[in-house]
């Protein structure tokens, strides 16, 4: 190999190494950016455990610094708002008029008129359920959960309602208190839920805290935080 050719070859090798180093640096930088993008800059905490970690993560994706809390919540598609600007439901969970969604920003109470607050990096939003008329000494929130589950048959029926707990209340009392559940004439079985009547191959299954109720189960007395579930299943 001639000297001129040797120099040209050496120069080619040097340039190749230099380009490889630059590309490697760029790849590492891109990887670091992708990794950083996976880490939320706005955090959500929720003390009542109504929402799965996946729902919390989905909300965090849409809450961005430089935007308002309301903008982020609306973009998520997970939160719906009432006409007065307050939060109506979160992930198909609605509250009785006896309760409201409580929000905090960095541990400080946030009224519904403050939802247009612009978010900053590392802000933390707290979500909780509070009584509409809170008593200063009352820290023991008592409620009953009514869960409609349409399954794969009627997914549009699925929704969860947080209702006030009343002493000596039975499962039947809870069902009768709603305007979207209709019992049979003898008040022993569920006939309609949101106007839907099961077909011949379907049935309503009633559960309390995950356990199916047998005949006369509607007479069961409830305790605070009990979950009553109405599930549509195939017979």
């Amino acid at each position: 190999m001639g000297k001129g050719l040797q120099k040209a070859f050496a120069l080619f090798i040097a340039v190749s190494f230099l380009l490889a180093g630059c590309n490697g640096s760029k790849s590492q930088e891109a990887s670091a950016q992708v990794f950083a993008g996976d880490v939320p800059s706005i955090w959500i905490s929720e003390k009542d455990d109504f929402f799965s970690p996946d729902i919390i993560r989905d909300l965090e994706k849409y809450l961005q610094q430089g935007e308002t809390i309301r903008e982020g919540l609306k973009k998520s598609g997970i939160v719906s708002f009432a006409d007065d600007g307050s939060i109506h439901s979160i992930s198909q969970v609605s509250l009785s008029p006896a309760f409201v969604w409580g929000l905090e920003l960095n541990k400080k109470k946030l009224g519904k008129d403050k939802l247009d607050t612009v978010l900053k990096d590392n802000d933390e939003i707290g979500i909780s359920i509070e009584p509409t008329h809170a008593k200063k000494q009352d820290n023991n929130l008592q409620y009953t959960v009514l869960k409609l589950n349409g399954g794969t048959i009627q997914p549009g029926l699925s929704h969860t309602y947080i209702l006030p707990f009343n002493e000596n209340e039975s499962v039947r009392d809870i069902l009768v208190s709603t305007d979207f559940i209709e019992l049979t004439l003898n008040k022993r079985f569920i006939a309609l839920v949101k106007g839907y009547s099961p077909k011949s191959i379907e049935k309503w299954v009633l559960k309390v805290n995950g356990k199916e109720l047998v005949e006369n189960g509607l007479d069961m007395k409830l305790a605070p935080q009990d979950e009553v579930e109405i599930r549509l299943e195939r017979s």
Side-chain angles (χ1 to χ4, degrees):
M1 182 182 295
K3 289 183 179 179
L5 190 57
Q6 285 179 341
K7 287 182 180 179
F9 183 72
L11 181 61
F12 172 77
I13 295 296
V15 171
S16 297
F17 274 118
L18 181 60
L19 289 175
C22 290
N23 289 337
S25 298
K26 289 181 179 178
S27 297
Q28 289 176 353
E29 183 180 348
S31 298
Q33 289 175 348
V34 169
F35 178 76
D38 290 338
V39 180
S41 60
I42 310 297
W43 307 90
I44 292 180
S45 60
E46 188 252 329
K47 70 177 184 181
D48 297 303
D49 293 329
F50 285 115
F51 310 115
S52 68
D54 287 341
I55 293 295
I56 297 296
R57 280 193 292 270
D58 285 343
L59 282 172
E60 288 173 340
K61 287 178 190 175
Y62 289 92
L63 293 167
Q64 303 291 330
Q65 57 175 318
E67 293 188 349
T68 68
I69 297 171
R70 190 186 306 276
E71 286 172 338
L73 295 179
K74 280 186 175 180
K75 284 181 182 178
S76 73
I78 296 171
V79 180
S80 66
F81 288 84
D83 292 338
D84 65 357
S86 62
I87 293 176
H88 175 257
S89 67
I90 302 176
S91 185
Q92 295 185 315
V93 178
S94 297
L95 306 181
S96 151
F99 302 112
V100 292
W101 293 107
L103 289 183
E104 291 183 349
L105 179 62
N106 301 323
K107 310 295 184 185
K108 292 182 180 178
K109 201 96 167 121
L110 198 68
K112 68 180 181 183
D113 56 333
K114 299 294 184 182
L115 291 181
D116 293 313
T117 301
V118 176
L119 290 164
K120 300 187 296 294
D121 194 26
N122 288 324
D123 274 348
E124 180 181 346
I125 297 174
I127 300 175
S128 61
I129 294 174
E130 299 175 353
T132 303
H133 304 292
K135 298 177 182 177
K136 290 183 179 179
Q137 295 82 10
D138 188 9
N139 294 319
N140 185 21
L141 185 67
Q142 293 191 337
Y143 56 83
T144 307
V145 179
L146 175 60
K147 183 176 182 180
L148 306 183
N149 191 340
T152 57
I153 305 171
Q154 288 290 322
L157 291 177
S158 297
H159 205 88
T160 298
Y161 300 87
I162 310 302
L163 308 175
F165 170 78
N166 297 305
E167 289 288 343
N168 236 8
E169 190 172 49
S170 69
V171 174
R172 182 181 288 103
D173 293 332
I174 284 284
L175 304 184
V176 170
S177 71
T178 72
D179 58 2
F180 49 80
I181 296 173
E182 185 176 328
L183 301 182
T184 56
L185 289 176
N186 60 13
K187 304 294 183 185
R188 293 176 61 189
F189 304 99
I190 298 170
L192 302 173
V193 175
K194 291 187 175 181
Y196 185 82
S197 177
K199 297 173 182 169
S200 58
I201 58 170
E202 300 167 355
K203 63 178 179 178
W204 298 118
V205 174
L206 189 59
K207 297 182 179 181
V208 173
N209 300 329
K211 295 183 178 179
E212 187 172 344
L213 297 183
V214 295
E215 193 171 351
N216 298 324
L218 268 65
D219 295 320
M220 177 182 176
K221 301 296 182 183
L222 296 169
Q225 280 73 46
D226 275 351
E227 179 183 281
V228 178
E229 180 184 10
I230 302 172
R231 185 181 182 90
L232 183 63
E233 294 183 357
R234 301 195 188 279
S235 302

